[in-house]
Amino acid sequence: MNKSIDVINELLVDLFNDILVIEQKFFHYSSFTDLSITEMHTIEAIGMYKARKMKEVACQLDITLGTLTTAINRLEKKQYVTRTRSKEDRRIVYMQLTKKGKLAFRIHHKFHSNMVKETIEGLTEEEEKVLIKSLEKLNNFFRSKYNLKIRSKEKNNE
């Protein structure tokens, strides 16, 4: 059992670090060299299809409104995001991706999709189920142990 723990720990640490490095290289060699990984995660949180409230996105990213405002200022200058105030309540600010922001979203989504497809390629249906169950168990552990919020894909793409 100890050998399994050591191997799994090493694999998880390596995977986490490798994915971060690969994402950084992806941006460096793409047409989105002006984006940081944090900015890309903000673009992902805003999503593709509808305007999102600043407060919603800040909660989803688990950051303050001030931190999000700083990020959105940068993304707006880079023309990835637009902001508009609610006509009914001027305190509410909506954000939406521009055409450039949507393109960055799609390309990054494709990067992740390719990574997952490569991961499961050649696995049997049973092996896929075991992998999914294992990752869900790990994810649930982190969420409960460290009181993390559930990030729903449906929120991003409504």
Side-chain angles (χ1 to χ4, degrees), residues 10-135:
E10 188 174 329
L11 284 169
L12 287 173
V13 169
D14 286 350
L15 277 169
F16 177 77
N17 290 329
D18 288 348
I19 289 170
L20 288 177
V21 168
I22 291 165
E23 279 193 315
Q24 287 171 339
K25 286 182 180 181
F26 170 79
F27 287 118
H28 182 72
Y29 294 110
S30 75
S31 54
F32 302 105
T33 56
D34 61 337
L35 282 176
S36 69
I37 290 173
T38 302
E39 289 171 331
M40 188 64 238
H41 290 161
T42 303
I43 286 171
E44 281 184 318
I46 295 168
M48 284 286 290
Y49 301 110
K50 70 168 192 152
R52 300 275 318 273
K53 293 178 185 174
M54 292 275 290
K55 189 172 183 176
E56 290 173 342
V57 174
C59 285
Q60 183 178 338
L61 293 171
D62 201 18
I63 59 176
T64 66
L65 271 173
T67 299
L68 181 60
T69 298
T70 301
I72 296 303
N73 287 342
R74 286 194 310 267
L75 287 170
E76 204 170 32
K77 282 181 188 169
K78 295 176 184 182
Q79 300 179 334
Y80 288 97
V81 174
T82 59
R83 262 187 293 211
T84 54
R85 290 203 176 269
S86 168
K87 289 180 172 86
E88 294 80 34
D89 185 343
R90 302 280 298 152
R91 296 171 296 177
I92 299 173
V93 178
Y94 292 98
M95 302 167 296
Q96 195 159 15
L97 297 181
T98 63
K99 187 175 180 180
K100 184 179 178 183
K102 289 178 180 180
L103 180 60
F105 180 98
R106 283 189 194 104
I107 288 173
H108 191 248
H109 179 75
K110 179 83 170 144
F111 165 78
H112 278 271
S113 179
N114 289 341
M115 181 176 59
V116 172
K117 285 177 185 174
E118 187 65 30
T119 299
I120 63 173
E121 186 177 319
L123 296 181
T124 66
E125 192 174 324
E126 186 60 33
E127 289 170 327
E128 280 184 38
K129 287 179 184 177
V130 169
L131 177 61
I132 290 168
K133 186 168 178 67
S134 299
L135 292 173

